Every structure is written in C-alpha cells, then in structure tokens.
C-alpha cells in the first residue's frame, strides 16, 4: 500500500529529524523502489504489463547488512533468511525467485534471480563499513530488471 508506506516514511523522518541525539540534523531520504503512479494493465491488452491479481510468483530481493557491526549477528541474519525461504517453500511458492544484495562499505549481488529451490543456504560475510545507498540502488535495479511474471518484494 503506497499510501501507508508514504505515511510511515513521513512519520519516521519527522521523529528521526527531531530526535534529541540527532545533533548533526541528519535526514532520512526515501528511495522509491517502484514508481508511485505506475499504471498496471492486463497482459491481455498487449501493453506488456500485468495486473497484480491472483497468486503470482514473487521476486524476493534481500538487502543484507554485512558490515563489521554485524559480525556477532551474521549467523542470525542467515538463519532468518533461510527461515523466510522455508516459509515461502512451505506455502507452495516454488515459482518465486530470490536475489540477495549484501552491503558493507561496498555492495555485492551474491544471488541474482535464482529459483527459490536453488537459492543458497549459506551466505559469505566480509565485514567493513556501512554504506547503504549503493545497496539500495542495486536492489532497485534488480526490481526494475525482474521478470514481469513476478511481483517484486524487497526484504
């Protein structure tokens, strides 16, 4: 729901901007992953787009922080990733595709549009600084370049 997301982003930005520990007056910038006013047309109309109705496969794009501060938590991140995949498989979502963007001071697309049944269960860890913007750009590119048969979902 884009309206609910926008309201949440606005409230989060407001709270962050006015927080007593935000002495540097930093701000939150929202990056649109899907165009807000994209008109979805039935694939039968010949325009190459589909209606988001029914049970379409998902293109699940994980964006995972592998910076140094996550060193003691990486096993938990990988566990949560695997549990999510297992839940999707249990709900008979074998048509789902998986992509994984890992970031620290840089960005790495470690999995790209792989069928969920073939997605890796282990993910490497590198550690380093924390720079999110390149990861967001990579995730956006994966979403934009995903197949029209799958609904993108960024986790």
């Amino acid at each position: 729901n884009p309206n609910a997301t926008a309201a949440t982003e606005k409230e989060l930005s407001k709270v962050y901007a006015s927080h007593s520990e935000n002495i540097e007056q930093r701000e939150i910038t929202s990056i649109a992953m899907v165009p807000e006013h994209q008109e979805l047309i039935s694939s039968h109309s010949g325009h190459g787009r589909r209606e988001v109705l029914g049970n379409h496969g998902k293109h699940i794009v994980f964006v995972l922080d592998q910076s140094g501060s996550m060193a003691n938590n990486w096993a938990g991140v990988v566990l949560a990733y695997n549990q999510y995949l297992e839940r999707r498989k249990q709900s008979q979502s074998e048509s789902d595709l998986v992509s994984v963007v890992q970031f620290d001071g840089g960005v790495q697309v470690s999995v790209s549009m792989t069928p969920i049944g073939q997605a890796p269960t282990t993910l490497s860890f590198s550690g380093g600084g924390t720079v999110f913007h390149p990861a967001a750009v990579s995730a956006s590119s994966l979403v934009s370049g995903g197949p029209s048969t799958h609904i993108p979902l960024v986790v």
Side-chain angles (χ1 to χ4, degrees), residues 51-67:
E51 291 183 15
V52 181
L53 298 173
N55 189 17
H56 294 280
K58 305 277 190 285
H59 175 202
I60 307 163
V61 180
F62 291 89
V63 182
L64 305 177
D65 181 354
Q66 66 172 1
S67 64

Side-chain angles (χ1 to χ4, degrees), residues 62 64-65 70 72-89 120-124 155:
F62 291 89
L64 305 177
D65 181 354
M70 296 299 291
N72 294 327
N73 300 311
W74 187 247
V77 170
V78 175
L79 176 65
Y81 158 83
N82 281 309
Q83 288 174 337
Y84 188 96
L85 294 181
E86 282 306 312
R87 279 194 300 273
R88 290 296 299 167
K89 288 182 212 175
T121 57
T122 60
L123 299 170
S124 63
V155 179

Side-chain angles (χ1 to χ4, degrees), residues 125-136:
F125 177 81
S126 66
T130 307
V131 181
F132 180 72
H133 184 261

Side-chain angles (χ1 to χ4, degrees), residues 6-18:
T8 301
E9 288 175 346
K10 184 177 179 180
E11 183 63 24
L12 178 63
S13 293
K14 186 173 91 175
V15 169
Y16 181 78
S18 64

